[in-house]
Amino acid sequence: MTTDAADAFAAAYGDAPDGVWAAPGRINVIGEHTDYNEGFVLPAALPHTTRVAARRRADGRIRLISAQGDGKVTELALDGLAPGAVPGWAAYPAGVFWALAQAGHPVGGADLAFTSDVPTGAGLSSSAALECATAIALDELYGLGLDAPTRALLAQRAENDFVGVPCGALDQMASSCCVAGHAFFLDTRTLTGRQVPLDLPAVGLSLLVIDTRVKHDLGDGAYAALRAGCERAAELLGVRALRDIGVAELAAAEEKLPAELRPLLRHVVTEDQRVLDTVRLLDAGEPRALGPVLTAGHASLRDDYRVSCPETDLAVSAANAAGALGARMMGGGFGGSVLALVDTGRLAAVEQAVRAAFAAAGFGAPLVFPAVPSPGAHRIA
Ligand code: ADP
Ligand code: MG
């Protein structure tokens, strides 16, 4: 086996793995902060993956190592796993063992070695890639026969209840379920989805990721406050979640809310509509028309939801000024990555313009790469 994860496995454990699996990071074309409002999202998988080389163990013990973690082997006992008991990066894969066992699946111990090229903390879901790689490896090592959505929900359970991060299902569903050349239109209420063709090269377009490399501290507390604000708004409006308010009812619903909750409602309701509009445009074969939808989404996140920051705002404005068809920040906010829709012939010019604008503003250099819609989690060796 000639994957880097198999090499890392051999270096750590002195032997060959039973197999190697990969799970991707993701972009989200549109649909931000809608997942915990039971709304719509439209992710696509990146070519960037987390790989795991894995081998079963018969003694119920777990060994974990990651080149992107602390570089040391973490040793655990499967029957000793409990939420909060595993510190650091190892909690993500350990949480997947725990979630499988909690759900009654006959999973045993294993040795795992991870390698990854998914940027971490950039809003590209490296945590879900790590979890979903673990989930598919254990599923196949132990012949559990799970389907991709089931693995995704177990991975989400690991992150929510074992690691302690209250994320929605977007990241794990994307990493598990995406198909190359497509975006995955997911209803986060019913957890059902369908693949939507996103073959941009065929029409001379590209999606460009601009990872600002910044993550402002505000993020964690702000996420909880926004989530609580949305739940409060839903309660005041007498609906289960903000997903239940359509654009036609928006003005009347705003009247019923205190001033501070109105912008949250506006963002969530208009963002759900932007996902539906985007899917309609892609189904109709009009991907160029996505540009203004992306830029409108950014304005909503900046002005109503207020989760943007100077770096993401600058990346969006510089990309658009250099001829991008549209751009928006992705992920939770306060840093992370921007997604731009660009004529392939203008990719270099847009990248150059963003780099120049960052340098002129005194910001650190961004990481810029095209996002080609790629496969979800799968076995590679
Ligand atoms: P994102 O998922 O957007 O990249 P998160 O904060 O959710 O950001 O997850 C990042 C964390 O996930 C890292 O700080 C690290 O603990 C863990 N992580 C992700 N990928 C790896 C990896 N390949 N090896 C070790 N830890 C990883
Ligand atoms: Mg994450």
Side-chain angles (χ1 to χ4, degrees):
M1 257 175 255
T2 55
T3 69
D4 59 353
D7 292 345
F9 188 99
Y13 308 124
D15 213 340
D18 293 338
V20 185
W21 291 263
R26 58 123 189 96
I27 55 167
N28 188 21
V29 178
I30 191 88
E32 218 62 77
H33 289 278
T34 49
D35 63 342
Y36 53 84
N37 290 295
E38 301 188 8
F40 305 114
V41 292
L42 189 66
L46 284 169
H48 305 64
T49 60
T50 295
R51 277 88 58 198
V52 60
R55 183 179 58 191
R56 281 169 66 139
R57 288 179 68 111
D59 61 358
R61 298 201 58 84
I62 298 167
R63 289 193 292 177
L64 306 165
I65 187 166
S66 169
Q68 284 72 33
D70 52 13
K72 291 186 299 225
V73 175
T74 298
E75 289 213 44
L76 302 162
L78 181 58
D79 62 11
L81 294 178
V86 180
W89 76 273
Y92 294 88
V96 175
F97 282 87
W98 174 84
L100 283 165
Q102 288 280 306
H105 298 296
V107 64
D111 291 330
L112 280 72
F114 297 93
T115 55
S116 180
D117 60 351
V118 184
T120 58
L124 302 173
S125 294
S126 69
S127 63
L130 180 57
E131 294 151 2
C132 292
T134 306
I136 192 170
L138 294 177
D139 181 10
E140 296 193 10
L141 278 181
Y142 280 95
L144 305 178
L146 305 176
D147 60 15
T150 302
R151 287 196 304 267
L153 296 178
L154 288 163
Q156 184 203 5
R157 171 119 206 262
E159 184 150 347
N160 287 171
D161 297 343
F162 195 89
V163 184
V165 179
C167 57
L170 161 63
D171 297 352
Q172 293 82 5
M173 287 295 267
S175 186
S176 277
C177 304
C178 278
V179 168
H182 292 75
F184 182 50
F185 173 38
L186 175 68
D187 179 335
T188 66
R189 167 166 283 169
T190 60
L191 293 172
T192 53
R194 81 176 162 90
Q195 307 293 339
V196 180
L198 186 64
D199 186 10
L200 296 177
V203 289
L205 293 176
S206 295
L207 287 167
L208 194 67
V209 175
I210 303 157
D211 173 5
T212 66
R213 310 304 291 155
V214 298
K215 191 75 209 166
H216 298 295
D217 276 346
L218 247 63
D220 293 343
Y223 180 85
L226 289 163
R227 218 176 147 141
C230 289
E231 280 162 19
R232 176 93 187 107
E235 196 180 302
L236 289 170
L237 293 170
V239 292
R240 173 170 146 183
L242 293 186
R243 137 69 176 282
D244 293 306
I245 310 290
V247 275
E249 303 145 296
L250 179 56
E254 277 191 59
E255 296 287 302
K256 296 183 191 148
L257 293 180
E260 74 274 14
L261 295 180
R262 290 178 191 175
L264 301 190
L265 174 72
R266 269 201 305 274
H267 169 71
V268 173
V269 172
T270 59
E271 186 79 352
D272 271 334
Q273 187 60 46
R274 281 186 286 273
V275 179
L276 299 175
D277 291 345
T278 299
V279 170
R280 185 173 43 75
L281 290 168
L282 288 176
D283 280 338
E286 295 176 44
R288 291 188 78 81
L290 257 58
V293 184
L294 298 183
T295 301
H298 185 74
S300 180
L301 288 162
R302 181 190 61 211
D303 302 335
D304 277 339
Y305 225 64
R306 308 187 77 130
V307 293
S308 195
C309 67
E311 292 85 353
T312 46
D313 287 343
L314 184 62
V316 168
S317 60
N320 282 342
L325 298 170
R328 68 176 203 88
M329 56 153 280
M330 276 191 302
F334 309 104
S337 300
V338 160
L339 182 70
L341 182 68
V342 182
D343 277 307
T344 302
R346 287 204 63 80
L347 276 176
V350 169
E351 173 170 354
Q352 195 44 46
V354 172
R355 290 193 180 285
F358 269 52
F363 297 156
L367 187 65
V368 184
F369 55 88
V372 180
S374 297
H378 61 287
R379 185 169 188 154
I380 56 173

